[in-house]
Amino acid sequence: MQQSLNVTGTLTANPLEPTIWLKRPPHRPGQELKPERVQEELQAMPGWTLDLSRKTINRLHEFGDSSVALAYAAFIKELAGADGQRVSILVSGGLVGLSLHGYPRKGTRGGITESVLEMAKRLG
């Protein structure tokens, strides 16, 4: 059974809604980095990968217990919210999938910025 933490912070066991969607945090401007630069930075950050869209970086964490995974997801939610970082979190049993997103800017779909990479480094 999948469990998720909803945005109000209560535990749910609805397998149809396994993702935590955060309210949009304040906009963090930044220059979109070229995909080559992002790939170069990710080489020093084991576990992080650049999505095919080149607008998101992803990482999967595995924990031995679902309660630890949910606690980690709640920690990430608070950390990202305080930093103004867009994040999607998927919790399934002891697995936690993270996606860090760049901000769309007028005329663009958004991309990876220095602030996205800084958050990924903080998360390890």
Side-chain angles (χ1 to χ4, degrees), residues 64-119:
D65 187 284
S66 62
S67 62
V68 176
L70 285 170
Y72 181 71
F75 167 74
I76 298 301
K77 174 185 174 262
E78 293 299 319
L79 184 65
D83 198 41
Q85 176 61 54
R86 291 179 62 203
V87 63
S88 296
I89 304 170
L90 174 67
V91 178
S92 180
L95 296 175
V96 178
L98 301 176
S99 295
L100 299 177
H101 311 274
Y103 280 96
R105 295 185 359 204
K106 189 173 186 171
T108 70
R109 293 182 296 161
I112 306 301
T113 62
E114 285 289 339
S115 64
V116 173
L117 292 175
E118 288 172 19
M119 175 59 73

Side-chain angles (χ1 to χ4, degrees), residues 6 16 20-21 24 34 46 49 56 59 61 66 70 98 109:
N6 66 25
L16 299 177
I20 298 173
W21 295 102
R24 186 179 179 137
K34 293 183 178 183
T49 59
T56 304
R59 175 138 194 212
H61 292 273
S66 62
L70 285 170
L98 301 176
R109 293 182 296 161

Side-chain angles (χ1 to χ4, degrees), residues 24-35:
R24 186 179 179 137
H27 179 66
R28 295 189 62 190
Q31 182 67 34
E32 184 177 326
L33 301 175
K34 293 183 178 183

